[in-house]
Amino acid sequence: MVFSGAETSAVLEFSRQNYHYVLVDLPDAIYSSCWEVLDQADQILVVSTPEIPSLYLARRKSVQIVNHGIPKDRIRVLLNRCGPGDLNPAEIEEYLSLPVAASFGNHYRAATAAVAQGSLAPAGSRLGSQFTRFAESLAGPPERKEQPKGGLWRVRQMLSQT
């Protein structure tokens, strides 16, 4: 389904009023319907693998975004499926002239297992830890709720399933 510019604006406005963070996953190609989202975005994350053809496409996309009039300092790169023999983030930053926001390892089995189970990657796994660090880089660490004082709370905590 493709939204009109007015419909896209309405959805984004509603989302911004009701949520602290709004993430929009756009298609690979930038269609006319995508520009409304990109124009309003605080940050734009271009996803790429560390292989040259993928990086070339990421560079073309970032140039297209900048040529549209969006400031380059709003664009960052997410590296996916990184392995030991790949270009490192510093080399990729130089090639793309963009900062790398995060780099995720090639954890194919963990990702496939999570998808097959309909769940997230386990928080304690390497992939889960990478996702957690990335989320905290965007939103900051989670707020810690102060634990209530008193004996009854401790009894409930011991008896609870969590």
Side-chain angles (χ1 to χ4, degrees), residues 19-41:
Y19 301 100
H20 282 38
Y21 304 98
V22 179
L23 300 172
V24 180
D25 185 13
L26 296 174
D28 290 334
I30 301 175
Y31 300 104
S32 58
S33 58
C34 299
W35 288 115
E36 181 74 27
V37 174
L38 293 170
D39 286 334
Q40 291 189 40

Side-chain angles (χ1 to χ4, degrees), residues 37-55:
V37 174
L38 293 170
D39 286 334
Q40 291 189 40
D42 295 327
Q43 293 183 52
I44 298 169
L45 302 167
V46 176
V47 180
S48 178
T49 60
E51 293 112 8
I52 295 298
S54 183
L55 293 170

Side-chain angles (χ1 to χ4, degrees), residues 10-146:
V11 169
L12 289 174
E13 182 62 29
F14 173 84
S15 299
R16 285 185 168 200
Q17 288 176 5
N18 290 285
Y19 301 100
H20 282 38
Y21 304 98
V22 179
L23 300 172
V24 180
D25 185 13
L26 296 174
D28 290 334
I30 301 175
Y31 300 104
S32 58
S33 58
C34 299
W35 288 115
E36 181 74 27
V37 174
L38 293 170
D39 286 334
Q40 291 189 40
D42 295 327
Q43 293 183 52
I44 298 169
L45 302 167
V46 176
V47 180
S48 178
T49 60
E51 293 112 8
I52 295 298
S54 183
L55 293 170
Y56 174 78
L57 292 173
R59 184 166 59 182
R60 282 186 51 191
K61 185 176 287 186
S62 66
V63 167
Q64 183 183 9
I65 292 168
V66 169
N67 287 344
H68 178 76
I70 295 171
K72 187 176 182 178
D73 63 356
R74 289 176 31 203
I75 306 170
R76 299 189 305 162
V77 178
L78 291 182
L79 294 175
N80 191 23
R81 296 192 317 242
C82 298
D86 293 325
L87 296 171
N88 66 48
E91 293 169 317
I92 291 170
E93 285 179 345
E94 184 177 339
Y95 177 75
L96 295 176
S97 299
L98 293 170
V100 171
S103 178
F104 303 105
N106 191 359
H107 304 292
Y108 180 79
R109 286 189 180 145
T112 302
V115 169
Q117 295 170 3
S119 64
L120 301 174
S125 70
R126 284 189 295 167
L127 184 59
S129 296
Q130 290 171 342
F131 287 158
T132 299
R133 281 194 305 276
F134 172 62
E136 288 179 354
S137 76
L138 292 177
E143 292 181 18
R144 303 277 184 219
K145 292 183 180 177
E146 190 173 314

